[in-house]
Amino acid sequence: MASGLTKTKRRIASVQSTKKITKAMEMVATVKLRRFKDGFERGSYYIGELRHALGEAFLRDEGTRSHYATSPEKGEGTLYLLITSNLGLCAGYNNNLYSYLDSFFDPKKDTLAFIGEKGKTHYLRGNRVERAMGEFAGLDLTMEPRDIFAAARKIRDEFNSGKYEKIAVVYTRYVNSLRFEPSTRVLLPVDIAIEEEPSEAYCPPLFEPAPRLMIHEILGQYLGGELYALLQESQLSEQASRRTAMENANDNADELLEKLTVEFNKARQAAITQEITEVINGANAQ
């Protein structure tokens, strides 16, 4: 009986220690979530305006359209950039991305590039993909902006090489703090739906010197901004998923502690009752 009490007491102490860790991680994730959300909201306005400006330029690009608006004739397959986390303990955040990507990824035609160590480890272990690129694995928001824009130029060069039909990013779209969904954003060819406003029918915007030159001038800025915004949104979703996971872990720890406490009290009461019974029986025997 004493050994059972000791074992239960050790389990209670172990769960309490684990709860301290998960509680601390929940607090850290909550602070990061607030910070990433503020940055995401500020960046959304910037990239929205930049996207609209580029869409207007494509809309006014008369005659033969820029090659950035059409897929290369000799291109084959799609280059997917998969944004995953570098750390664990974020519930099903990465697994949801894997399931989503596997539903349409063609390993014989498509190429996979990794942004985040978890995705790189998952797909390179066991040779899950035939065509893979690891050049972007260390890309995250802690890097200097010039490094992110350098990665964007690399993406543009890959498209200009004519090897791929399109280049897309697989990321996690943030809906709210409890809901985030795997999604795909096509970077190239550029497909921004812009409808001409009635007020612009008689007085369209003027581009100097020409829409085509503006497209080629700001495309690098647009790709860098899109990549940065998608990284922000993915890391925002990651922190939201981690905070939810740690909150659930704390709730589970509370339930387990309550169960173990009841078990410990019952065992202790049984031990006390047994000792009293033994004392009474001994007194009666004398």
Side-chain angles (χ1 to χ4, degrees):
M1 184 66 69
S3 61
L5 283 172
T6 303
K7 182 179 179 181
T8 304
K9 193 172 182 179
R10 286 177 179 173
R11 287 192 63 191
I12 291 175
S14 176
V15 173
Q16 288 175 337
S17 298
T18 304
K19 183 184 175 182
K20 290 180 181 179
I21 298 173
T22 55
K23 188 64 177 179
M25 293 186 67
E26 180 188 356
M27 295 174 64
V28 171
T30 300
V31 173
K32 288 185 176 181
L33 175 63
R34 189 178 299 112
R35 177 162 57 87
F36 280 125
K37 189 174 182 179
D38 292 341
F40 171 69
E41 290 174 350
R42 291 193 302 268
S44 296
Y45 178 79
Y46 168 78
I47 192 60
E49 291 297 316
L50 186 58
R51 191 181 297 137
H52 181 79
L54 189 63
E56 285 279 7
F58 273 105
L59 184 64
R60 310 297 172 184
D61 186 19
E62 300 176 354
T64 305
R65 301 193 68 188
S66 168
H67 71 281
Y68 288 117
T70 58
S71 299
E73 295 181 358
K74 298 182 180 180
E76 181 182 6
T78 301
L79 171 60
Y80 289 103
L81 283 76
L82 175 64
I83 301 180
T84 59
S85 67
N86 289 317
L87 303 174
L89 297 177
C90 48
Y93 173 80
N94 291 319
N95 289 331
N96 291 338
L97 283 167
Y98 303 151
S99 300
Y100 172 75
L101 178 64
D102 292 341
S103 65
F104 57 82
F105 183 80
D106 186 349
K108 297 187 179 299
K109 294 176 56 179
D110 299 333
T111 303
L112 190 58
F114 308 104
I115 301 178
E117 292 296 332
K118 289 294 183 180
K120 181 180 179 181
T121 302
H122 176 79
Y123 281 100
L124 294 186
R125 185 195 312 148
N127 298 322
R128 297 173 185 265
V129 292
E130 297 181 9
R131 304 179 181 183
M133 294 173 58
E135 300 180 27
F136 306 105
L139 198 62
D140 57 36
L141 296 179
T142 61
M143 301 178 67
E144 293 291 332
R146 63 172 178 269
D147 296 325
I148 295 178
F149 280 89
R153 289 193 296 272
K154 173 66 176 175
I155 292 172
R156 183 182 59 186
D157 294 341
E158 290 289 338
F159 183 78
N160 288 335
S161 69
K163 295 188 294 183
Y164 308 107
E165 292 180 0
K166 61 181 180 180
I167 298 178
V169 178
V170 177
Y171 70 107
T172 303
R173 184 171 66 90
Y174 179 81
V175 180
N176 53 51
S177 59
L178 296 176
R179 184 182 172 195
F180 12 88
E181 303 171 346
S183 302
T184 303
R185 173 72 57 81
V186 177
L187 295 181
L188 292 169
V190 178
D191 184 16
I192 303 175
I194 295 291
E195 295 183 1
E196 186 175 21
E197 297 183 6
S199 60
E200 296 178 350
Y202 67 93
C203 185
L206 298 178
F207 293 91
E208 192 64 38
R212 178 74 55 83
L213 294 178
M214 179 178 177
I215 290 171
H216 290 204
E217 184 70 23
I218 70 173
L219 184 69
Q221 190 78 9
Y222 162 76
L223 291 176
E226 279 281 13
L227 187 58
Y228 189 84
L230 295 176
L231 281 170
Q232 274 190 322
E233 190 166 4
S234 293
Q235 294 201 8
L236 172 60
S237 301
E238 177 189 342
Q239 295 302 327
S241 179
R242 181 171 288 112
R243 188 197 66 80
T244 302
M246 294 302 102
E247 184 180 10
N248 292 336
N250 290 330
D251 293 340
N252 293 336
D254 288 334
E255 292 179 4
L256 185 56
L257 282 173
E258 183 178 355
K259 180 180 177 181
L260 289 174
T261 302
V262 171
E263 180 181 331
F264 177 79
N265 290 336
K266 286 182 178 179
R268 185 177 61 176
Q269 187 64 41
I272 293 172
T273 302
Q274 183 178 356
E275 291 179 1
I276 293 174
T277 302
E278 290 175 355
V279 170
I280 293 174
N281 290 336
N284 291 336
Q286 293 178 356

